[in-house]
Amino acid sequence: MISLYIIKSGNTMLSIGEDGKINPHRNVGEGLYYLDMKVIGRLAMNPSINANLFYTDVKNDTIVFHYLIRVSKTSNDNDFVCHLEYNVFSNGIEIAVEFENFSNTEVKITFNYVIDYDFSDIFEVRKEVGVYKMQLPYGNDVEFITKKKNDIVYDTPHIRIGVKTDGDLPENIVIPPRKTEQFHKKIIIETDFKSDGFARKIFRNVKHKKYSPPTIKPSGERLSNLLTKSIDDITMLFLDTTYGKFPAGGVPWFSAIFGRDPLVFAIEAMEYFPDVVRTILEVLSETQATFEDDFRDAEVGKIIHELRVGELALSKRIPFDAYYGSIDSTPLYLMTLWRYWKYTKNDEFIQRHLKNVESAANWIDSHLDVRGYLSYEVRSKMGLKNQGWKDSPNSVLFADGRPPSPPIALSEVQGYVYAAYLSLADFYGFFGNKERQADYVHKAEMLKNAFNRDFWMEDERFYAMAIDGNGRRVNAISSNPGQCLFTGIVDKDKASAVVKRLLSKDMFSGWGIRTLSTKMSFYNPYSYHNGSVWPHDNALIILGMLKYGFYEEAKRLANSLLDAAAQFDWRLPELFTGVERRRDDRVIPYPTSCSPQLWSAGSAFVLYKTLEGGF
């Protein structure tokens, strides 16, 4: 299969083949996307004579293909050069073509430019093609030749997308001897969301301000390379919203508003992106559920899991116009809000969001199971079966591979709730409500005591992955309890055993801590959640090791991730395989990992703080 290049800026993303063309017949993912809609499905520049691609230059928002063209049998191969540049901006793309004639004769050449407009929903483009297939106003095979300068409009009851063009790419080119000619075409995408939903509130009047990234100067070259790449990737992931820059989950498939992902990123990198964290909190506060809806797993007070703005979501054919199937976004929101408050000392911001705080707190308190744990059970027919961060269908199982009975209380989620309770106590104490402050301190103490009694497996000297609806410990040895360390819910006398097991051979691959022990019946190092290594998971575990004073262990784990990053050109991917580190010292990538991915990029800042003594 041909390799793809992905570039992005703001709300526009280009996925293009290594030959400089968009060809959906070889890979349906190729295309020019605006938010959740594929606007262009085919794009090609076809010269009348053979063009040989000899070099490609790629940046986050720009890609340039360089071609050598032999214009006649008697000319040299490098007498005529074509540079084809695609530059994406927040709401469109500019195509620039430059021809250089280094010969002493006039060159005449014909180019056929093909731009096919598509307007497919991203859920059609993904594996859901056929499941959610819809009839579109324009057929996917309709060609709009650029010389016609047509303005294209996609219009449904839910969304209007207007495509305007500026400039021209002529078909017949005449280049005088020793001369250079340049041609430009700009494609501008304008959208209007027709209903008064979250799509309109967040994306109708977007801000296209330039972002000034943080400047960090670590002492070592390896950390410098990692941070430089991560800052570039985070900037690439920004979506332009009404509230400012909001970081998307990852490309190509998760370039959208999420809840969990940016909150974890905020925990990883708060000090370096406070303005971005503020935007994250503003958007998640705006989209907090104020209604009940089983189709969208929505309940009053919950923080959103995923928000999509394509035709299928806006028409309610899928629940993702505002989907709330995440058990952890709400406590993570309270944790992050508290951390932002402590870092910025912005009392006014917290005062303005006290209603959001109370609503989130009430949701947690009213959705505890009979044992007092925050647990999940899917209600939507199209929702996620598993609603923690390991949300693939088979990611939560007993050690022997049996599925648990819902509702399911995940270990790390109880840690998040514990930290959220302490955050709430601090909020209420600051604003003078001593009664509620004492109440949440008491709730935190009670939860910690119960957790260390009910989740602890003495025979394994480790915590269970979860407790199911029948009160059984889901006894799979996993990375989930590792995240409990950074929340502080782990008893001090158990922390050493937890760290020791996380770094044992069945959990630590040499590159990072696996999501699942090699001793489990369903372990697979090439799986998504059952034996792979996730950088963000490891970063949160590192934060926990530091919290409990395991500094050398934290540095060992940080260095292993840094070694892995070096093999990914300093871009930590969403995940990589859990195959054991061997003498050849090669990490094996996961085949369909998102890269760049937000919380993996955020992991770089945890490594920096760990290895440079920032804690």
Side-chain angles (χ1 to χ4, degrees):
M1 180 180 289
I2 195 167
S3 297
L4 296 181
Y5 292 109
I6 296 175
I7 60 174
K8 180 183 173 297
S9 178
N11 302 337
T12 303
M13 179 180 71
L14 175 67
S15 176
I16 192 167
E18 62 186 355
D19 59 352
K21 299 179 181 180
I22 295 175
N23 183 355
H25 299 297
R26 67 187 175 200
N27 188 324
V28 295
E30 296 181 36
L32 180 75
Y33 296 81
Y34 183 79
L35 295 172
D36 290 319
M37 297 292 289
K38 184 200 281 193
V39 176
I40 292 177
R42 190 154 67 101
L43 180 64
M45 180 190 72
N46 302 311
S48 56
I49 52 180
N50 189 46
N52 296 310
L53 178 67
F54 72 94
Y55 180 66
T56 304
D57 184 28
V58 186
K59 297 180 181 178
N60 280 351
D61 59 358
T62 305
I63 186 166
V64 185
F65 299 93
H66 305 272
Y67 301 89
L68 294 175
I69 300 176
R70 191 170 186 177
V71 294
S72 70
K73 292 182 180 181
T74 59
S75 66
N76 295 320
D77 288 340
N78 56 354
D79 276 354
F80 194 75
V81 182
C82 172
H83 310 280
L84 174 61
E85 177 178 320
Y86 297 108
N87 174 248
V88 293
F89 50 94
S90 186
N91 63 321
I93 185 171
E94 183 170 11
I95 305 170
V97 186
E98 180 178 270
F99 300 100
E100 294 183 287
N101 182 5
F102 293 101
S103 73
N104 293 314
T105 60
E106 182 180 79
V107 173
K108 295 181 180 180
I109 190 169
T110 300
F111 278 84
N112 176 31
Y113 299 94
V114 178
I115 301 178
D116 288 356
Y117 292 91
D118 187 292
F119 301 108
S120 292
D121 190 286
I122 197 166
F123 281 86
E124 293 181 273
V125 178
R126 289 163 57 176
K127 77 170 186 140
E128 292 86 349
V129 170
V131 177
Y132 303 127
K133 191 64 181 174
M134 55 190 286
Q135 296 298 317
L136 300 174
Y138 299 101
N140 288 348
D141 293 327
V142 177
E143 291 190 6
F144 298 91
I145 307 302
T146 56
K147 67 176 183 181
K148 294 184 178 179
K149 300 182 180 180
N150 295 55
D151 289 347
I152 311 303
V153 176
Y154 170 83
D155 201 357
T156 78
H158 316 101
I159 185 174
R160 182 185 187 277
I161 303 175
V163 180
K164 296 183 177 181
T165 60
D166 182 27
D168 194 19
L169 300 176
E171 289 189 353
N172 299 307
I173 310 294
V174 178
I175 311 295
R178 301 285 171 181
K179 295 293 183 181
T180 298
E181 296 286 350
Q182 295 179 338
F183 304 94
H184 299 264
K185 186 180 186 67
K186 184 177 286 189
I187 298 173
I188 302 167
I189 304 167
E190 298 176 346
T191 58
D192 181 29
F193 300 101
K194 297 184 177 181
S195 60
D196 290 326
F198 293 140
R200 173 177 277 196
K201 289 180 180 178
I202 294 171
F203 291 113
R204 191 177 192 187
N205 297 307
V206 301
K207 299 177 181 178
H208 300 298
K209 292 183 179 179
K210 188 175 181 180
Y211 184 77
S212 298
T215 301
I216 307 173
K217 296 181 179 180
S219 59
E221 182 181 0
R222 297 198 330 147
L223 275 173
S224 180
N225 290 337
L226 177 64
L227 288 170
T228 298
K229 175 68 78 171
S230 296
I231 291 170
D232 284 348
D233 286 347
I234 291 163
T235 303
M236 176 185 179
L237 289 171
F238 285 153
L239 297 170
D240 288 326
T241 75
T242 305
Y243 299 89
K245 303 290 186 184
F246 188 103
V251 298
W253 303 125
F254 303 115
S255 186
I257 299 289
F258 283 87
R260 177 192 302 122
D261 302 52
L263 291 170
V264 169
F265 163 75
I267 290 170
E268 294 172 321
M270 175 82 68
E271 309 94 304
Y272 309 102
F273 298 90
D275 293 342
V276 176
V277 173
R278 180 189 177 101
T279 299
I280 290 168
L281 292 169
E282 291 278 18
V283 171
L284 297 186
S285 298
E286 178 64 44
T287 55
Q288 184 179 32
T290 57
F291 53 88
E292 304 279 331
D293 184 354
D294 284 354
F295 180 60
R296 296 188 283 182
D297 279 329
E299 295 162 327
V300 174
K302 284 185 82 174
I303 296 300
I304 203 161
H305 170 66
E306 181 176 359
L307 187 150
R308 295 288 187 166
V309 296
E311 174 65 26
L312 289 176
L314 296 175
S315 62
K316 307 294 191 295
R317 298 172 73 173
I318 57 176
F320 300 109
D321 65 315
Y323 180 63
Y324 294 86
S326 164
I327 192 62
D328 48 10
S329 292
T330 307
L332 283 169
Y333 166 81
L334 292 171
M335 291 169 60
T336 305
L337 196 62
W338 178 82
R339 286 169 178 250
Y340 176 78
W341 175 48
K342 286 298 181 183
Y343 181 73
T344 63
K345 298 178 172 55
N346 188 339
D347 299 339
E348 182 276 332
F349 186 83
I350 298 302
Q351 181 75 55
R352 188 156 50 85
H353 290 89
L354 273 181
K355 288 185 178 180
N356 300 101
V357 169
E358 295 223 348
S359 186
N362 291 337
W363 177 80
I364 292 174
D365 289 340
S366 62
H367 285 80
L368 303 178
D369 62 22
V370 294
R371 294 169 299 280
Y373 298 123
L374 187 61
S375 57
Y376 66 85
E377 182 174 7
V378 65
R379 293 176 301 156
S380 174
K381 293 180 180 179
M382 300 178 72
L384 296 171
K385 176 185 175 182
N386 286 317
Q387 299 190 351
W389 82 263
K390 296 177 181 177
D391 56 6
S392 52
N394 65 343
S395 61
V396 182
L397 301 172
F398 286 92
D400 60 6
R402 289 176 297 120
S405 301
I408 297 167
L410 294 168
S411 59
E412 78 276 14
V413 172
Q414 312 321 309
Y416 301 160
V417 173
Y418 172 76
Y421 279 164
L422 293 180
S423 299
L424 288 165
D426 206 11
F427 287 144
Y428 287 119
F430 179 80
F431 289 107
N433 192 333
K434 302 301 181 182
E435 182 179 348
R436 295 205 72 178
Q437 179 187 26
D439 181 40
Y440 278 108
V441 169
H442 177 68
K443 286 180 177 181
E445 292 173 350
M446 294 292 289
L447 175 59
K448 184 172 184 176
N449 291 335
F451 173 82
N452 283 278
R453 179 191 67 232
D454 296 344
F455 279 79
W456 183 251
M457 301 184 295
E458 185 61 33
D459 57 335
E460 294 283 0
R461 302 290 296 161
F462 202 67
Y463 292 98
M465 185 183 198
I467 291 179
D468 81 348
N470 293 325
R472 300 173 296 177
R473 293 189 183 107
V474 181
N475 60 344
I477 302 299
S478 70
S479 65
N480 297 57
Q483 292 193 20
C484 294
L485 290 166
F486 95 92
T487 66
I489 198 173
V490 173
D491 279 343
K492 288 184 179 180
D493 62 356
K494 295 180 174 67
S496 179
V498 171
V499 171
K500 182 178 179 180
R501 186 58 188 271
L502 289 169
L503 291 175
S504 64
K505 189 173 182 179
D506 65 314
M507 287 296 291
F508 181 58
S509 73
W511 300 111
I513 292 170
R514 300 180 179 97
T515 49
L516 189 72
S517 164
T518 60
K519 296 180 179 180
M520 300 299 101
S521 64
F522 56 105
Y523 165 74
N524 179 353
Y526 298 92
S527 68
Y528 196 52
H529 286 130
N530 295 333
S532 54
V533 175
W534 288 64
H536 92 278
D537 188 27
N538 280 254
L540 295 181
I541 291 171
I542 289 171
L543 291 178
M545 289 177 173
L546 294 168
K547 186 180 184 72
Y548 281 80
F550 294 93
Y551 301 111
E552 293 306 312
E553 292 84 351
K555 288 181 179 179
R556 178 188 175 192
L557 184 51
N559 274 311
S560 71
L561 288 173
L562 191 59
D563 290 343
Q567 297 194 30
F568 291 105
D569 194 24
W570 303 108
R571 172 183 281 171
L572 279 169
E574 178 187 19
L575 71 156
F576 49 88
T577 66
V579 175
E580 184 179 359
R581 188 170 185 172
R582 300 191 177 112
R583 291 180 181 177
D584 59 2
D585 212 36
R586 300 300 300 174
V587 61
I588 299 177
Y590 183 79
T592 56
S593 176
C594 280
S595 187
Q597 208 265 2
L598 179 62
W599 56 17
S600 289
S603 301
F605 300 90
V606 175
L607 304 191
Y608 166 63
K609 290 180 285 188
T610 303
L611 298 174
E612 293 279 302
F615 285 96

